[in-house]
Amino acid sequence: MINEKIENAINEQINAEFWSAYLYLSMSVYCSHEGLSGAANWFDIQFKEEQDHARKFIRYILSRGGKVTLLPIEKVETEWKSLLDAFKDTLKHERVVTQKINDIYTLAIKENDYATQSFLNWYIDEQIEEEETAQNMIDALKMIGDGYGLYQFDKELATRTYTPLAEE
Ligand code: OFO
């Protein structure tokens, strides 16, 4: 049985993952409006992956006999100055998510919840990748600027494909 403090923290994290999904859907729509169909695809996959992250937490609470509570999703930004600006926001956002995961881990240590500590390791590794990817995008966009470079970069982002997270 999962303890109530951990259950509440994970329910909040489920909400944060769906909020992330919503933010990336908003970025995808923004990119479509800007004629950046490759970047729109990239953020749409990000949208799907965040939903997978939320579902993984949902399955975990259920597997430990807890109660899942779906909370309202906060409103998100809908406009950015450029694709670079959107990726800067992505990095900022992922750093916040990393901190949230770390906070749940700290709580799990305090509560002697070893199962949750073990479960969270997947998210800790995932956050390293999320932050690194956003930083790489920022670095690339700073190098290429606008125009033909951006056109080529967008074509590259169009090749990203979605792989659903395996259910264990
Ligand atoms: Fe769920 O990793 Fe991004 O937010």
Side-chain angles (χ1 to χ4, degrees):
M1 187 77 190
I2 198 160
N3 117 2
E4 205 184 320
K5 282 186 197 159
I6 302 281
E7 183 185 272
N8 289 341
I10 295 182
N11 272 316
E12 274 172 34
Q13 190 60 32
I14 290 168
N15 183 264
E17 299 290 344
F18 279 127
W19 186 74
S20 299
Y22 204 41
L23 175 68
Y24 294 133
L25 178 61
S26 183
M27 287 181 179
S28 176
V29 169
Y30 159 79
C31 291
S32 290
H33 289 157
E34 293 299 305
L36 295 163
S37 59
N41 168 66
W42 195 92
F43 281 116
D44 187 64
I45 290 171
Q46 201 68 10
F47 163 61
K48 293 185 177 109
E49 286 192 358
E50 296 298 350
Q51 292 175 74
D52 285 345
H53 298 171
R55 273 192 285 266
K56 192 175 171 76
F57 274 120
I58 290 173
R59 286 198 299 275
Y60 178 67
I61 292 190
L62 295 175
S63 73
R64 296 206 47 212
K67 185 174 183 318
V68 173
T69 307
L70 298 177
L71 305 165
I73 299 166
E74 282 285 308
K75 125 186 212 304
V76 292
E77 292 292 325
T78 55
E79 290 296 332
W80 288 270
K81 289 198 288 285
S82 62
L83 185 58
L84 174 60
D85 189 32
F87 274 115
K88 280 183 178 168
D89 247 15
T90 298
L91 180 59
K92 203 167 96 193
H93 177 73
E94 289 302 336
R95 283 179 176 156
V96 170
V97 173
T98 300
Q99 189 53 55
K100 285 177 180 292
I101 300 282
N102 289 347
D103 290 346
I104 306 174
Y105 199 98
T106 304
L107 181 65
I109 291 171
K110 223 176 106 205
E111 297 294 317
N112 293 326
D113 184 341
Y114 303 107
T116 297
Q117 289 172 48
S118 164
F119 171 74
L120 286 174
N121 283 328
W122 183 89
Y123 288 89
I124 290 168
D125 293 344
E126 176 68 14
Q127 283 311 119
I128 295 171
E129 201 186 302
E130 294 277 62
E131 287 189 30
E132 189 186 12
T133 304
Q135 186 62 61
N136 288 345
M137 296 293 183
I138 292 167
D139 294 344
L141 281 161
K142 278 184 180 164
M143 248 183 285
I144 61 177
D146 288 333
Y148 189 67
L150 181 60
Y151 171 74
Q152 282 299 336
F153 188 67
D154 189 58
K155 273 170 95 173
E156 239 178 72
L157 297 185
T159 62
R160 185 183 186 190
T161 54
Y162 170 63
T163 310
L165 202 59
E167 295 200 12
E168 65 284 333

